[in-house]
Amino acid sequence: MHARQIKYLPSLQNEQVEWGRVIVMIIIILLLPPFIGLPITIANIANKKNASKTQYYTFFVCIALYFSAINATKVPSGDQIQYLVAYQNVPKLGFLKSLIYIYGADFYSNVSKTTISGEFMNGVYNYIGYYLTLGYYPLFAVLLTFVDYMLIFLGLYQFCRSLRKPHIPIVCGAITISFFYLFFNYTLQIQKQFLAQSIMMYVLGNYAYHGRMYKKDWIIAICAVFTHAATLLFIPFLLFKPLHRPLSKNGLIMMGIVFAVMVISGPQMASSVTSDSNSALTYGVNRLAQSETNNDTQESALVLSQILVIALPMAVIIGRKLWIERKTLSNSNAFMLNITMLLLLTIAAMFKQPLAQYRYFMMLLAFMPFIYPFAFNNINKRDKLLKIIAVVMIIWFYYQFEKIVWTYAAEWEIIVKSPLLLIADNYYTY
């Protein structure tokens, strides 16, 4: 099995999704209270031994809609206000200026600005999204959140198809990431980064499964980079072919050392080539050059409990698989483990760049459902663990919900009110 591309669900690749059935289920879930609709949604897929592509997609869409509806009730605050104002400015600014003023306040502080933002895709999303949602911001929040979750779900679906008996990893993985409160509460707060990473997770899942980048994958990856510059980190992973296979011990050591040195010295190297220009093409380099001084004391400190609960288990799993069991890995397995290892090294090496370090740490969250299936080689033990994690995440989400620093609908409302009512009731007051 060493260094082979193994695909356990090839039959689903060309299967057509029955969108009529998906739409019927969407309508039912939108109308039912979540305490009825959610159990139906989960039970409908969890008990399937040979789930179809249609059933997986239905599950993904219904789960994504539920969390999108909750986000529709979020009262804008902090960074989100900038994104809200940029959205509201669309009719006033038009398309081109929407690419320049991706932050709302910028328009009022610098009306003569002419340089297109290095993350101009956010202006594209605002412009298209404004007219798709008829200027109703809660509906835009729904659309944005829905895209976030669906892209990760689809990337996970593709990747897990290369695992043995992938059904539980797919279902429990989607539940784990969607109900993880820490992931959820940042989807609108730092929406550029989370949208960009969701786009990139879709690309990574596709590349891991297929073993190659298609033209559409490159286009999508480029969209991710121009959505948030931090995703530029993943482009070398897609270009460096050896990462798509298990590395030798010497290869792992050399790769780790070289990569860590590059991350540590990155700001100095970027400073030597950067310029005063802040064009779309130089934006990422300028951000890297400023990363050691661009700190936010409110966001830039890693939390020890999060390191122990999120990073440490992933590091243990990855270390065991890549160091001890590397000869048992398929190419798809090795690729996802390799890039997660490099992401962990990036975070560790950014000790002089606390804000960037924290932002990259947040990226680890989306990798959890991709890495947890490697905790056990035994399928029964693996599936039991994934089910336990999924159940814990559901319980923890509702336990933590009213402790989230941002304001949403009351907890009883997100349990009792149908998603349609959550979207229709205008909770935001900005």
Side-chain angles (χ1 to χ4, degrees):
M1 191 162 85
H2 176 55
R4 288 190 292 138
Q5 193 72 4
I6 301 175
K7 301 176 181 180
Y8 289 98
L9 285 180
S11 60
L12 294 184
Q13 178 66 22
N14 298 317
E15 181 183 322
Q16 296 298 311
V17 177
E18 299 175 41
W19 289 109
R21 293 178 59 184
V22 176
I23 292 171
V24 169
M25 193 64 183
I26 289 172
I27 294 172
I28 293 172
I29 294 302
L30 282 174
L31 296 176
L32 285 176
F35 73 87
I36 296 175
L38 272 180
I40 290 175
T41 299
I42 295 172
N44 191 48
I45 188 71
N47 295 327
K48 302 292 182 183
K49 290 187 177 180
N50 295 297
S52 67
K53 194 172 183 179
T54 297
Q55 289 166 332
Y56 282 122
Y57 275 48
T58 301
F59 169 67
F60 294 155
V61 168
C62 290
I63 292 291
L65 277 175
Y66 175 61
F67 286 93
S68 301
I70 298 174
N71 253 350
T73 72
K74 184 178 185 296
V75 177
S77 59
D79 290 351
Q80 187 191 357
I81 294 175
Q82 289 270 31
Y83 302 128
L84 165 62
V85 176
Y87 169 84
Q88 293 175 326
N89 281 345
V90 164
K92 183 189 305 181
L93 300 181
F95 180 72
L96 183 58
K97 286 190 176 180
S98 292
L99 308 186
I100 297 171
Y101 298 104
I102 64 168
Y103 297 108
D106 286 358
F107 174 68
Y108 301 101
S109 61
N110 186 6
V111 295
S112 60
K113 188 176 179 181
T114 58
T115 304
I116 290 178
S117 169
E119 296 170 340
F120 66 87
M121 285 303 300
N122 294 281
V124 176
Y125 308 141
N126 278 334
Y127 186 85
I128 296 174
Y130 183 89
Y131 292 106
L132 280 178
T133 59
L134 306 176
Y136 182 56
Y137 182 73
L139 191 56
F140 180 71
V142 169
L143 179 62
L144 191 69
T145 309
F146 180 79
V147 171
D148 279 351
Y149 280 105
M150 282 301 297
L151 286 169
I152 293 179
F153 292 164
L154 294 176
L156 177 68
Y157 169 77
Q158 284 289 74
F159 171 69
C160 285
R161 290 170 58 210
S162 64
L163 302 177
R164 289 180 296 160
K165 296 186 177 180
H167 179 66
I168 296 301
I170 292 172
V171 175
C172 290
I175 292 173
T176 295
I177 190 61
S178 55
F179 278 92
F180 188 28
Y181 82 96
L182 196 58
F183 180 87
F184 167 78
N185 71 12
Y186 278 112
T187 49
L188 284 183
Q189 201 61 33
I190 47 177
Q191 71 178 48
K192 288 196 293 101
Q193 176 180 323
F194 271 58
L195 177 57
Q197 188 184 1
S198 297
I199 297 169
M200 191 58 75
M201 295 307 297
Y202 172 79
V203 174
L204 295 177
N206 269 332
Y207 180 50
Y209 179 76
H210 292 290
R212 59 169 295 185
M213 288 285 288
Y214 295 94
K215 184 182 294 185
K216 70 175 181 64
D217 295 321
W218 280 119
I219 293 172
I220 295 171
I222 291 169
C223 287
V225 172
F226 287 115
T227 299
H228 197 281
T231 53
L232 189 61
L233 174 76
F234 298 99
I235 297 300
F237 301 162
L238 302 173
L239 294 170
F240 191 54
K241 292 295 183 182
L243 287 179
H244 204 277
R245 63 174 183 263
L247 299 173
S248 66
K249 289 184 178 181
N250 288 337
L252 282 171
I253 293 171
M254 289 300 298
M255 176 69 68
I257 292 173
V258 170
F259 195 77
V261 169
M262 289 180 64
V263 172
I264 293 170
S265 59
Q268 289 76 26
M269 291 190 294
S271 296
S272 66
V273 299
T274 192
S275 65
D276 294 330
S277 170
N278 197 27
S279 68
L281 296 178
T282 62
Y283 181 81
V285 177
N286 290 340
R287 284 289 296 270
L288 178 59
Q290 299 164 10
S291 61
E292 291 187 352
T293 56
N294 184 22
N295 297 327
D296 184 333
T297 55
Q298 293 182 337
E299 292 187 68
S300 59
L302 292 183
V303 180
L304 180 60
S305 61
Q306 293 177 5
I307 295 173
L308 294 177
V309 173
I310 299 168
L312 184 59
M314 294 174 73
V316 171
I317 293 170
I318 292 167
R320 177 174 59 84
K321 297 300 291 186
L322 290 180
W323 191 260
I324 300 174
E325 301 175 7
R326 65 190 183 283
K327 292 183 179 180
T328 68
L329 298 174
S330 69
N331 288 347
S332 294
N333 300 163
F335 173 72
M336 195 58 67
L337 290 164
N338 282 335
I339 63 172
T340 312
M341 174 196 70
L342 293 177
L343 179 57
L344 284 165
L345 282 174
T346 299
I347 296 164
M350 284 183 163
F351 54 88
K352 291 184 179 181
Q353 308 162 56
L355 179 57
Q357 183 184 53
Y358 186 78
R359 291 301 181 98
Y360 278 110
F361 182 84
M362 286 292 99
M363 288 188 174
L364 273 181
L365 306 182
F367 283 89
M368 293 191 305
F370 292 81
I371 301 302
Y372 287 164
F374 295 107
F376 290 105
N377 293 325
N378 180 278
I379 299 298
N380 291 331
K381 289 182 178 179
R382 179 201 72 182
D383 289 353
K384 185 176 181 180
L385 174 67
L386 296 180
K387 290 175 183 177
I388 291 172
I389 293 173
V391 171
V392 168
M393 287 298 187
I394 293 173
I395 296 171
W396 196 246
F397 176 79
Y398 291 108
Y399 174 75
Q400 289 284 345
F401 183 74
E402 292 200 332
K403 298 180 181 181
I404 296 175
V405 296
W406 323 120
T407 303
Y408 300 85
E411 186 164 5
W412 72 265
E413 292 181 281
I414 70 167
I415 295 173
V416 174
K417 277 190 173 183
S418 71
L420 191 61
L421 284 178
L422 291 174
I423 298 169
D425 289 347
N426 195 341
Y427 287 82
Y428 94 101
T429 57
Y430 185 77

